[in-house]
Amino acid sequence: MATVQQTPAVSVNGSGADGFPVQNPATGEIIRTVPNTSPDEVAAAAERARAAQPGWEALGFEGRARILRRAQKWVIDHAERIIDTIVSETGKTYEDAQLAEIGYAAAAFGFWSKMAPEYLADEKVRTASPLVKGRRLVIRYRPVGVVGVIGPWNFPLTNSFGDCIPALAAGNAVILKPSEVTPLTSLLMLEMLQDCGMPENVFQVITGTGETGAALVDHVDYVMFTGSTKTGKKVLARAAETLTPVGLELGGKDPMIVLSDADVDRAANLAAYYSMNNGGQVCISVERVYVEAPVYDEFVGKVVEKVRALRQGKPVGPGTVDVGAVIFPPQIDTIDAHVKDAVAKGAKVLIGGKPAEGEGRFYEPTVLVDVDHSMTCMTEETFGPTLPIMKVADAEEAIRLANDSPYGLAASVVTKNTARGEAIARRIESGVVCVNDVQINYTALELPMGGWKSSGLGSRHGANGIRKYCDQQTVLVTKLAPKKDLHMFPYSARNTKIFGKLTGFLYGRGKRD
Ligand code: NDP
């Protein structure tokens, strides 16, 4: 494993003595110690951000985009160093870091630089209201000021730093609190932005524990949180104290439905890949599969064959392993508890089924059958390399079971009849549904990505992915006007009669059944 070279976090004041170690989950090695930022230091960081923000906003879209485009090039020029950093603190494979993190960040810098002026341009509005006809009506977007981004450990670049990019493009100062398990990539992004000429304190990283994240909520104008539903609720409750708006991207239990007319090879490849990529630690992983009875045996056979061929272990470069480590130490117990609970209730393990032996923290790629909704592996987020597969009588049963979940993040349907697939997709209670695909919607930054039910509030990407970081202001300008409008004081029977007639004329003449 290449050594991670990093400069200290220049924008944090936490003392090294009070820091915490960052471990490589694939080897157990301690890579570095980072500061634990105290609540007082968080408040000071927010003050610095607030002072720096107006200058950043004043640069305008083009001035900000210049720096963000430099960062895009930096990501490409330093891709190997970023991948080394991600791999060292997550134990994920080279490809999981390259495809889903480097690829995402490089695209996102270009996308938000280009789209920010369009999504945040003044909108001229035409109205049907007779009272404001002839006035200039404008919706205008203004950056909220200071945005706090709190991120998880599964994608330290994409899901922690990724949300900072549109917030910055909009003209905000940003304070990022990465997961204590994976702070190094965020610190490298800080170094990157400094190298690219980002004005001081416009972007800061505060390393620390949950307490640091909680303190950040108190000091910012918008909180963008990605993480578990449990912590998301705490963030929402805390933000209520200051009436701070919050975006929540939370957990999922994504179902895949395989219909009997599916291309079974593609279905098996989709299921095997999208349940095991990134070690299954993807919020939009395939977490459960429902297969129509006629193709069940064939599908299960093909999935097991593919999962059996997977190579797992310490990643030492491109193409060396397929499934990486379990990033967060307690997660391995959750995964194992779900498998054990399923087995105790009658499920069969076709492959895997236990933590891997040897160096590092790994869970064997696992396929479970004979599962049902009495088992946690079908109802709670497992977040590991496991795939429970359930036989169903028909699509109706599959839809009912897919919707039998508190979560609603993403889902997929596999069928050769795409019209039927789309009709089924529209009946699934989920923020995203792909037909004959999984997860790749995430690469289309034009498409909103957000969870329904307990999977979140709001969305990232698309117009809302940047407008949420702004206050929306309605501006109404009256140029030519009489001294007094008809509806103003004093009320008179004559004017009231005119308004009554006008209302009837405008709204009372339409055809009705
Ligand atoms: P957690 O909810 O445990 O932590 C997320 C972040 O919140 C971490 O930085 C954590 O700090 C911080 N935090 C902890 N307590 C508080 C608090 N009281 N107030 C503010 N911040 C706090 O999530 P995980 O890191 O375990 O991430 C995995 C989860 O993230 C899964 O459920 C996954 O589905 C979800 N996720 C959702 C995505 C989506 O787009 N919907 C994308 C990626 C992941 P610390 O680490 O120091 O405890």
mmCIF file of all heavy atoms in Angstrom, residues 150-155 159 177-181 208-211 213-214 217 225-229 231-232 234-235 249-252 282-283 328 331 381 383 409 442 449 455 460, ligand 1:
data_model
loop_
_atom_site.group_PDB
_atom_site.id
_atom_site.type_symbol
_atom_site.label_atom_id
_atom_site.label_comp_id
_atom_site.label_asym_id
_atom_site.label_seq_id
_atom_site.Cartn_x
_atom_site.Cartn_y
_atom_site.Cartn_z
ATOM 1 N N ILE A 150 -22.094 17.108 6.591
ATOM 2 C CA ILE A 150 -21.683 16.012 7.486
ATOM 3 C C ILE A 150 -21.760 14.720 6.683
ATOM 4 O O ILE A 150 -22.807 14.407 6.111
ATOM 5 C CB ILE A 150 -22.603 15.932 8.730
ATOM 6 C CG1 ILE A 150 -22.580 17.267 9.485
ATOM 7 C CG2 ILE A 150 -22.180 14.776 9.637
ATOM 8 C CD1 ILE A 150 -23.569 17.340 10.648
ATOM 9 N N GLY A 151 -20.651 13.989 6.629
ATOM 10 C CA GLY A 151 -20.608 12.851 5.707
ATOM 11 C C GLY A 151 -20.360 11.508 6.375
ATOM 12 O O GLY A 151 -19.880 11.439 7.514
ATOM 13 N N PRO A 152 -20.668 10.433 5.655
ATOM 14 C CA PRO A 152 -20.465 9.065 6.161
ATOM 15 C C PRO A 152 -19.099 8.521 5.731
ATOM 16 O O PRO A 152 -18.328 9.212 5.067
ATOM 17 C CB PRO A 152 -21.580 8.295 5.470
ATOM 18 C CG PRO A 152 -21.671 8.944 4.126
ATOM 19 C CD PRO A 152 -21.305 10.397 4.312
ATOM 20 N N TRP A 153 -18.853 7.244 6.052
ATOM 21 C CA TRP A 153 -17.533 6.662 5.782
ATOM 22 C C TRP A 153 -17.483 5.835 4.499
ATOM 23 O O TRP A 153 -16.417 5.401 4.095
ATOM 24 C CB TRP A 153 -17.092 5.788 6.967
ATOM 25 C CG TRP A 153 -18.176 4.944 7.571
ATOM 26 C CD1 TRP A 153 -18.860 5.235 8.715
ATOM 27 C CD2 TRP A 153 -18.713 3.707 7.092
ATOM 28 N NE1 TRP A 153 -19.804 4.257 8.976
ATOM 29 C CE2 TRP A 153 -19.727 3.298 7.986
ATOM 30 C CE3 TRP A 153 -18.442 2.895 5.985
ATOM 31 C CZ2 TRP A 153 -20.464 2.126 7.819
ATOM 32 C CZ3 TRP A 153 -19.182 1.723 5.814
ATOM 33 C CH2 TRP A 153 -20.174 1.358 6.721
ATOM 34 N N ASN A 154 -18.608 5.587 3.857
ATOM 35 C CA ASN A 154 -18.559 4.611 2.748
ATOM 36 C C ASN A 154 -18.004 5.204 1.452
ATOM 37 O O ASN A 154 -17.391 4.494 0.667
ATOM 38 C CB ASN A 154 -19.925 3.959 2.515
ATOM 39 C CG ASN A 154 -21.007 4.940 2.150
ATOM 40 O OD1 ASN A 154 -20.908 6.121 2.464
ATOM 41 N ND2 ASN A 154 -22.045 4.474 1.504
ATOM 42 N N PHE A 155 -18.239 6.513 1.220
ATOM 43 C CA PHE A 155 -17.666 7.194 0.051
ATOM 44 C C PHE A 155 -17.085 8.519 0.523
ATOM 45 O O PHE A 155 -17.739 9.560 0.428
ATOM 46 C CB PHE A 155 -18.736 7.434 -1.020
ATOM 47 C CG PHE A 155 -19.144 6.188 -1.752
ATOM 48 C CD1 PHE A 155 -20.351 5.575 -1.486
ATOM 49 C CD2 PHE A 155 -18.303 5.627 -2.703
ATOM 50 C CE1 PHE A 155 -20.719 4.415 -2.148
ATOM 51 C CE2 PHE A 155 -18.662 4.468 -3.381
ATOM 52 C CZ PHE A 155 -19.875 3.857 -3.107
ATOM 53 N N ASN A 159 -19.611 11.074 -1.237
ATOM 54 C CA ASN A 159 -20.719 11.427 -0.354
ATOM 55 C C ASN A 159 -20.362 12.396 0.768
ATOM 56 O O ASN A 159 -21.250 12.872 1.467
ATOM 57 C CB ASN A 159 -21.358 10.168 0.245
ATOM 58 C CG ASN A 159 -22.265 9.473 -0.750
ATOM 59 O OD1 ASN A 159 -22.305 8.258 -0.803
ATOM 60 N ND2 ASN A 159 -22.988 10.235 -1.556
ATOM 61 N N LYS A 177 -17.605 18.140 7.841
ATOM 62 C CA LYS A 177 -17.269 17.246 8.964
ATOM 63 C C LYS A 177 -17.354 15.811 8.412
ATOM 64 O O LYS A 177 -18.421 15.246 8.264
ATOM 65 C CB LYS A 177 -18.263 17.506 10.071
ATOM 66 C CG LYS A 177 -18.330 16.675 11.333
ATOM 67 C CD LYS A 177 -17.400 15.605 11.611
ATOM 68 C CE LYS A 177 -18.102 14.556 12.473
ATOM 69 N NZ LYS A 177 -17.655 13.211 12.174
ATOM 70 N N PRO A 178 -16.193 15.232 8.080
ATOM 71 C CA PRO A 178 -16.215 13.863 7.566
ATOM 72 C C PRO A 178 -16.397 12.859 8.707
ATOM 73 O O PRO A 178 -16.240 13.217 9.872
ATOM 74 C CB PRO A 178 -14.828 13.707 6.939
ATOM 75 C CG PRO A 178 -13.956 14.662 7.682
ATOM 76 C CD PRO A 178 -14.829 15.786 8.174
ATOM 77 N N SER A 179 -16.695 11.630 8.349
ATOM 78 C CA SER A 179 -16.777 10.579 9.373
ATOM 79 C C SER A 179 -15.425 10.453 10.064
ATOM 80 O O SER A 179 -14.370 10.575 9.434
ATOM 81 C CB SER A 179 -17.138 9.251 8.706
ATOM 82 O OG SER A 179 -16.906 8.186 9.611
ATOM 83 N N GLU A 180 -15.460 10.176 11.362
ATOM 84 C CA GLU A 180 -14.191 10.018 12.090
ATOM 85 C C GLU A 180 -13.402 8.819 11.557
ATOM 86 O O GLU A 180 -12.195 8.730 11.744
ATOM 87 C CB GLU A 180 -14.461 9.850 13.587
ATOM 88 C CG GLU A 180 -15.165 8.559 13.950
ATOM 89 C CD GLU A 180 -15.606 8.516 15.408
ATOM 90 O OE1 GLU A 180 -14.792 8.128 16.248
ATOM 91 O OE2 GLU A 180 -16.756 8.863 15.685
ATOM 92 N N VAL A 181 -14.100 7.906 10.874
ATOM 93 C CA VAL A 181 -13.439 6.695 10.368
ATOM 94 C C VAL A 181 -12.643 7.001 9.093
ATOM 95 O O VAL A 181 -11.630 6.364 8.820
ATOM 96 C CB VAL A 181 -14.508 5.598 10.098
ATOM 97 C CG1 VAL A 181 -13.868 4.296 9.638
ATOM 98 C CG2 VAL A 181 -15.356 5.367 11.326
ATOM 99 N N GLY A 208 -13.468 15.112 13.578
ATOM 100 C CA GLY A 208 -13.962 14.888 14.933
ATOM 101 C C GLY A 208 -14.997 13.786 14.974
ATOM 102 O O GLY A 208 -15.252 13.117 13.969
ATOM 103 N N THR A 209 -15.596 13.634 16.127
ATOM 104 C CA THR A 209 -16.578 12.574 16.337
ATOM 105 C C THR A 209 -17.991 13.110 16.081
ATOM 106 O O THR A 209 -18.155 14.228 15.579
ATOM 107 C CB THR A 209 -16.495 12.075 17.785
ATOM 108 O OG1 THR A 209 -16.791 13.198 18.618
ATOM 109 C CG2 THR A 209 -15.125 11.513 18.110
ATOM 110 N N GLY A 210 -18.980 12.330 16.506
ATOM 111 C CA GLY A 210 -20.366 12.756 16.365
ATOM 112 C C GLY A 210 -20.639 14.075 17.063
ATOM 113 O O GLY A 210 -21.429 14.899 16.599
ATOM 114 N N GLU A 211 -19.945 14.293 18.174
ATOM 115 C CA GLU A 211 -20.139 15.537 18.944
ATOM 116 C C GLU A 211 -19.743 16.764 18.100
ATOM 117 O O GLU A 211 -20.394 17.810 18.154
ATOM 118 C CB GLU A 211 -19.262 15.461 20.199
ATOM 119 C CG GLU A 211 -19.721 16.367 21.321
ATOM 120 C CD GLU A 211 -18.668 16.449 22.433
ATOM 121 O OE1 GLU A 211 -17.878 15.488 22.571
ATOM 122 O OE2 GLU A 211 -18.629 17.472 23.122
ATOM 123 N N GLY A 213 -19.906 16.906 14.841
ATOM 124 C CA GLY A 213 -20.986 17.055 13.849
ATOM 125 C C GLY A 213 -22.194 17.746 14.468
ATOM 126 O O GLY A 213 -22.794 18.653 13.873
ATOM 127 N N ALA A 214 -22.539 17.327 15.692
ATOM 128 C CA ALA A 214 -23.703 17.912 16.365
ATOM 129 C C ALA A 214 -23.489 19.410 16.592
ATOM 130 O O ALA A 214 -24.401 20.220 16.389
ATOM 131 C CB ALA A 214 -23.945 17.184 17.680
ATOM 132 N N VAL A 217 -24.092 21.680 13.535
ATOM 133 C CA VAL A 217 -25.496 21.963 13.206
ATOM 134 C C VAL A 217 -25.939 23.309 13.783
ATOM 135 O O VAL A 217 -26.732 24.025 13.177
ATOM 136 C CB VAL A 217 -26.405 20.807 13.726
ATOM 137 C CG1 VAL A 217 -27.881 21.126 13.539
ATOM 138 C CG2 VAL A 217 -26.028 19.490 13.054
ATOM 139 N N PHE A 225 -26.717 16.525 5.416
ATOM 140 C CA PHE A 225 -26.283 15.339 6.165
ATOM 141 C C PHE A 225 -26.459 14.079 5.332
ATOM 142 O O PHE A 225 -27.531 13.843 4.766
ATOM 143 C CB PHE A 225 -27.110 15.200 7.459
ATOM 144 C CG PHE A 225 -26.820 13.919 8.205
ATOM 145 C CD1 PHE A 225 -25.763 13.849 9.099
ATOM 146 C CD2 PHE A 225 -27.580 12.775 7.990
ATOM 147 C CE1 PHE A 225 -25.471 12.665 9.772
ATOM 148 C CE2 PHE A 225 -27.300 11.591 8.649
ATOM 149 C CZ PHE A 225 -26.249 11.535 9.549
ATOM 150 N N THR A 226 -25.428 13.257 5.266
ATOM 151 C CA THR A 226 -25.544 11.920 4.683
ATOM 152 C C THR A 226 -25.079 10.923 5.726
ATOM 153 O O THR A 226 -23.981 11.054 6.272
ATOM 154 C CB THR A 226 -24.656 11.779 3.421
ATOM 155 O OG1 THR A 226 -25.006 12.812 2.510
ATOM 156 C CG2 THR A 226 -24.883 10.438 2.749
ATOM 157 N N GLY A 227 -25.924 9.948 6.000
ATOM 158 C CA GLY A 227 -25.561 8.945 7.007
ATOM 159 C C GLY A 227 -26.758 8.092 7.337
ATOM 160 O O GLY A 227 -27.694 7.962 6.534
ATOM 161 N N SER A 228 -26.742 7.531 8.530
ATOM 162 C CA SER A 228 -27.811 6.604 8.915
ATOM 163 C C SER A 228 -29.097 7.365 9.252
ATOM 164 O O SER A 228 -29.057 8.543 9.627
ATOM 165 C CB SER A 228 -27.366 5.794 10.133
ATOM 166 O OG SER A 228 -27.175 6.666 11.226
ATOM 167 N N THR A 229 -30.209 6.660 9.146
ATOM 168 C CA THR A 229 -31.502 7.262 9.477
ATOM 169 C C THR A 229 -31.530 7.666 10.956
ATOM 170 O O THR A 229 -32.054 8.730 11.313
ATOM 171 C CB THR A 229 -32.632 6.263 9.146
ATOM 172 O OG1 THR A 229 -32.562 5.992 7.735
ATOM 173 C CG2 THR A 229 -33.999 6.806 9.494
ATOM 174 N N THR A 231 -29.040 8.675 12.954
ATOM 175 C CA THR A 231 -28.337 9.946 13.198
ATOM 176 C C THR A 231 -29.035 11.093 12.478
ATOM 177 O O THR A 231 -29.096 12.214 12.989
ATOM 178 C CB THR A 231 -26.858 9.856 12.743
ATOM 179 O OG1 THR A 231 -26.290 8.663 13.256
ATOM 180 C CG2 THR A 231 -26.055 11.034 13.232
ATOM 181 N N GLY A 232 -29.588 10.808 11.300
ATOM 182 C CA GLY A 232 -30.305 11.842 10.548
ATOM 183 C C GLY A 232 -31.434 12.449 11.373
ATOM 184 O O GLY A 232 -31.657 13.670 11.361
ATOM 185 N N LYS A 234 -31.516 12.654 14.617
ATOM 186 C CA LYS A 234 -30.902 13.510 15.661
ATOM 187 C C LYS A 234 -30.520 14.869 15.077
ATOM 188 O O LYS A 234 -30.685 15.907 15.709
ATOM 189 C CB LYS A 234 -29.624 12.837 16.198
ATOM 190 C CG LYS A 234 -29.877 11.660 17.096
ATOM 191 C CD LYS A 234 -28.549 11.256 17.729
ATOM 192 C CE LYS A 234 -28.624 9.819 18.208
ATOM 193 N NZ LYS A 234 -27.317 9.245 18.487
ATOM 194 N N VAL A 235 -29.980 14.845 13.852
ATOM 195 C CA VAL A 235 -29.571 16.098 13.202
ATOM 196 C C VAL A 235 -30.802 16.984 12.972
ATOM 197 O O VAL A 235 -30.785 18.193 13.230
ATOM 198 C CB VAL A 235 -28.829 15.794 11.882
ATOM 199 C CG1 VAL A 235 -28.677 17.039 11.034
ATOM 200 C CG2 VAL A 235 -27.469 15.167 12.171
ATOM 201 N N GLU A 249 -29.784 12.614 3.424
ATOM 202 C CA GLU A 249 -29.639 11.452 2.535
ATOM 203 C C GLU A 249 -29.302 10.283 3.439
ATOM 204 O O GLU A 249 -28.189 10.189 3.956
ATOM 205 C CB GLU A 249 -28.523 11.700 1.506
ATOM 206 C CG GLU A 249 -28.748 12.901 0.600
ATOM 207 C CD GLU A 249 -29.849 12.685 -0.428
ATOM 208 O OE1 GLU A 249 -30.208 11.523 -0.706
ATOM 209 O OE2 GLU A 249 -30.363 13.687 -0.964
ATOM 210 N N LEU A 250 -30.277 9.384 3.620
ATOM 211 C CA LEU A 250 -30.149 8.384 4.690
ATOM 212 C C LEU A 250 -30.079 6.956 4.152
ATOM 213 O O LEU A 250 -29.790 6.734 2.986
ATOM 214 C CB LEU A 250 -31.315 8.569 5.668
ATOM 215 C CG LEU A 250 -31.499 10.010 6.180
ATOM 216 C CD1 LEU A 250 -32.722 10.127 7.068
ATOM 217 C CD2 LEU A 250 -30.258 10.503 6.913
ATOM 218 N N GLY A 251 -30.368 6.021 5.018
ATOM 219 C CA GLY A 251 -30.192 4.613 4.675
ATOM 220 C C GLY A 251 -31.216 4.080 3.692
ATOM 221 O O GLY A 251 -32.191 4.749 3.358
ATOM 222 N N GLY A 252 -30.965 2.865 3.226
ATOM 223 C CA GLY A 252 -31.881 2.235 2.275
ATOM 224 C C GLY A 252 -31.916 0.728 2.457
ATOM 225 O O GLY A 252 -31.086 0.149 3.177
ATOM 226 N N VAL A 282 -22.938 0.569 0.015
ATOM 227 C CA VAL A 282 -23.454 1.634 -0.845
ATOM 228 C C VAL A 282 -24.898 1.852 -0.394
ATOM 229 O O VAL A 282 -25.643 0.882 -0.228
ATOM 230 C CB VAL A 282 -23.435 1.218 -2.336
ATOM 231 C CG1 VAL A 282 -23.872 2.369 -3.231
ATOM 232 C CG2 VAL A 282 -22.071 0.708 -2.751
ATOM 233 N N CYS A 283 -25.276 3.115 -0.212
ATOM 234 C CA CYS A 283 -26.651 3.357 0.246
ATOM 235 C C CYS A 283 -27.646 2.807 -0.768
ATOM 236 O O CYS A 283 -28.738 2.390 -0.402
ATOM 237 C CB CYS A 283 -26.875 4.836 0.488
ATOM 238 S SG CYS A 283 -26.429 5.859 -0.923
ATOM 239 N N PHE A 328 -16.235 0.236 8.586
ATOM 240 C CA PHE A 328 -16.565 0.710 9.935
ATOM 241 C C PHE A 328 -16.549 -0.488 10.893
ATOM 242 O O PHE A 328 -17.315 -1.448 10.689
ATOM 243 C CB PHE A 328 -17.961 1.349 9.865
ATOM 244 C CG PHE A 328 -18.470 1.948 11.133
ATOM 245 C CD1 PHE A 328 -17.684 2.792 11.905
ATOM 246 C CD2 PHE A 328 -19.770 1.686 11.554
ATOM 247 C CE1 PHE A 328 -18.175 3.362 13.062
ATOM 248 C CE2 PHE A 328 -20.281 2.254 12.709
ATOM 249 C CZ PHE A 328 -19.477 3.090 13.469
ATOM 250 N N GLN A 331 -19.665 -2.443 11.933
ATOM 251 C CA GLN A 331 -20.539 -2.888 10.844
ATOM 252 C C GLN A 331 -20.457 -4.398 10.638
ATOM 253 O O GLN A 331 -21.431 -5.052 10.276
ATOM 254 C CB GLN A 331 -20.153 -2.157 9.542
ATOM 255 C CG GLN A 331 -21.190 -2.232 8.451
ATOM 256 C CD GLN A 331 -22.484 -1.546 8.842
ATOM 257 O OE1 GLN A 331 -22.450 -0.569 9.584
ATOM 258 N NE2 GLN A 331 -23.606 -2.057 8.374
ATOM 259 N N GLU A 381 -31.264 -2.347 7.077
ATOM 260 C CA GLU A 381 -30.099 -2.133 6.206
ATOM 261 C C GLU A 381 -28.919 -2.964 6.713
ATOM 262 O O GLU A 381 -28.496 -2.818 7.858
ATOM 263 C CB GLU A 381 -29.738 -0.642 6.218
ATOM 264 C CG GLU A 381 -28.688 -0.287 5.197
ATOM 265 C CD GLU A 381 -28.367 1.211 5.204
ATOM 266 O OE1 GLU A 381 -28.244 1.792 6.298
ATOM 267 O OE2 GLU A 381 -28.248 1.783 4.110
ATOM 268 N N PHE A 383 -25.836 -3.353 4.821
ATOM 269 C CA PHE A 383 -24.651 -2.555 4.469
ATOM 270 C C PHE A 383 -23.382 -3.408 4.466
ATOM 271 O O PHE A 383 -22.367 -3.059 5.058
ATOM 272 C CB PHE A 383 -24.518 -1.384 5.442
ATOM 273 C CG PHE A 383 -24.176 -0.091 4.765
ATOM 274 C CD1 PHE A 383 -24.983 0.405 3.759
ATOM 275 C CD2 PHE A 383 -23.052 0.648 5.128
ATOM 276 C CE1 PHE A 383 -24.680 1.605 3.123
ATOM 277 C CE2 PHE A 383 -22.736 1.844 4.494
ATOM 278 C CZ PHE A 383 -23.556 2.320 3.494
ATOM 279 N N LEU A 409 -35.258 4.358 -0.840
ATOM 280 C CA LEU A 409 -34.159 5.092 -1.478
ATOM 281 C C LEU A 409 -34.091 4.787 -2.974
ATOM 282 O O LEU A 409 -34.276 5.656 -3.810
ATOM 283 C CB LEU A 409 -32.844 4.748 -0.774
ATOM 284 C CG LEU A 409 -31.647 5.641 -1.075
ATOM 285 C CD1 LEU A 409 -31.959 7.100 -0.821
ATOM 286 C CD2 LEU A 409 -30.445 5.216 -0.225
ATOM 287 N N TYR A 442 -27.006 7.561 -10.630
ATOM 288 C CA TYR A 442 -26.215 8.460 -9.775
ATOM 289 C C TYR A 442 -25.189 9.247 -10.579
ATOM 290 O O TYR A 442 -24.735 10.313 -10.168
ATOM 291 C CB TYR A 442 -25.505 7.635 -8.693
ATOM 292 C CG TYR A 442 -25.250 8.395 -7.416
ATOM 293 C CD1 TYR A 442 -26.177 8.373 -6.376
ATOM 294 C CD2 TYR A 442 -24.104 9.145 -7.243
ATOM 295 C CE1 TYR A 442 -25.960 9.078 -5.214
ATOM 296 C CE2 TYR A 442 -23.876 9.857 -6.080
ATOM 297 C CZ TYR A 442 -24.807 9.821 -5.068
ATOM 298 O OH TYR A 442 -24.590 10.529 -3.913
ATOM 299 N N MET A 449 -31.577 12.857 -6.875
ATOM 300 C CA MET A 449 -31.342 11.613 -6.127
ATOM 301 C C MET A 449 -31.705 11.891 -4.683
ATOM 302 O O MET A 449 -31.023 12.663 -3.999
ATOM 303 C CB MET A 449 -29.857 11.235 -6.277
ATOM 304 C CG MET A 449 -29.363 10.106 -5.382
ATOM 305 S SD MET A 449 -29.929 8.488 -5.905
ATOM 306 C CE MET A 449 -30.595 7.833 -4.375
ATOM 307 N N SER A 455 -35.794 7.223 4.167
ATOM 308 C CA SER A 455 -34.505 7.319 3.461
ATOM 309 C C SER A 455 -34.059 8.756 3.218
ATOM 310 O O SER A 455 -32.998 8.972 2.621
ATOM 311 C CB SER A 455 -34.573 6.574 2.124
ATOM 312 O OG SER A 455 -34.611 5.193 2.354
ATOM 313 N N ARG A 460 -30.244 15.393 -3.716
ATOM 314 C CA ARG A 460 -29.028 15.993 -4.289
ATOM 315 C C ARG A 460 -29.132 15.854 -5.807
ATOM 316 O O ARG A 460 -29.960 15.127 -6.324
ATOM 317 C CB ARG A 460 -27.765 15.340 -3.735
ATOM 318 C CG ARG A 460 -27.665 13.840 -3.880
ATOM 319 C CD ARG A 460 -26.236 13.362 -3.679
ATOM 320 N NE ARG A 460 -25.721 13.582 -2.342
ATOM 321 C CZ ARG A 460 -25.668 12.643 -1.376
ATOM 322 N NH1 ARG A 460 -26.132 11.417 -1.623
ATOM 323 N NH2 ARG A 460 -25.162 12.911 -0.198
HETATM 324 P P1 NDP B 1 -23.751 7.798 10.708
HETATM 325 O O1 NDP B 1 -25.144 8.296 10.742
HETATM 326 O O2 NDP B 1 -23.280 6.945 11.825
HETATM 327 O O3 NDP B 1 -22.711 9.010 10.631
HETATM 328 C C1 NDP B 1 -22.773 9.983 9.595
HETATM 329 C C2 NDP B 1 -22.011 11.211 10.029
HETATM 330 O O4 NDP B 1 -22.690 11.831 11.121
HETATM 331 C C3 NDP B 1 -20.592 10.926 10.555
HETATM 332 O O5 NDP B 1 -19.736 11.954 10.155
HETATM 333 C C4 NDP B 1 -20.808 10.937 12.045
HETATM 334 O O6 NDP B 1 -19.631 11.190 12.769
HETATM 335 C C5 NDP B 1 -21.790 12.071 12.183
HETATM 336 N N1 NDP B 1 -22.549 12.101 13.430
HETATM 337 C C6 NDP B 1 -22.699 11.130 14.365
HETATM 338 N N2 NDP B 1 -23.524 11.560 15.353
HETATM 339 C C7 NDP B 1 -23.908 12.819 15.032
HETATM 340 C C8 NDP B 1 -24.765 13.777 15.627
HETATM 341 N N3 NDP B 1 -25.422 13.536 16.764
HETATM 342 N N4 NDP B 1 -24.939 14.964 15.002
HETATM 343 C C9 NDP B 1 -24.329 15.238 13.831
HETATM 344 N N5 NDP B 1 -23.492 14.360 13.218
HETATM 345 C C10 NDP B 1 -23.288 13.165 13.800
HETATM 346 O O7 NDP B 1 -23.602 7.078 9.286
HETATM 347 P P2 NDP B 1 -22.402 6.186 8.791
HETATM 348 O O8 NDP B 1 -21.158 7.005 8.779
HETATM 349 O O9 NDP B 1 -22.423 4.900 9.562
HETATM 350 O O10 NDP B 1 -22.770 5.921 7.266
HETATM 351 C C11 NDP B 1 -23.502 4.822 6.827
HETATM 352 C C12 NDP B 1 -24.933 5.233 6.557
HETATM 353 O O11 NDP B 1 -24.950 6.270 5.597
HETATM 354 C C13 NDP B 1 -25.778 4.121 5.964
HETATM 355 O O12 NDP B 1 -27.017 4.106 6.607
HETATM 356 C C14 NDP B 1 -25.941 4.538 4.509
HETATM 357 O O13 NDP B 1 -27.094 4.040 3.908
HETATM 358 C C15 NDP B 1 -25.965 6.015 4.638
HETATM 359 N N6 NDP B 1 -25.643 6.635 3.374
HETATM 360 C C16 NDP B 1 -26.648 7.248 2.664
HETATM 361 C C17 NDP B 1 -26.397 7.786 1.417
HETATM 362 C C18 NDP B 1 -27.475 8.460 0.643
HETATM 363 O O14 NDP B 1 -27.147 9.172 -0.310
HETATM 364 N N7 NDP B 1 -28.750 8.286 0.960
HETATM 365 C C19 NDP B 1 -25.056 7.717 0.814
HETATM 366 C C20 NDP B 1 -24.077 7.089 1.645
HETATM 367 C C21 NDP B 1 -24.375 6.558 2.880
HETATM 368 P P3 NDP B 1 -18.753 9.954 13.296
HETATM 369 O O15 NDP B 1 -18.416 9.097 12.110
HETATM 370 O O16 NDP B 1 -17.574 10.615 13.831
HETATM 371 O O17 NDP B 1 -19.598 9.234 14.303
#
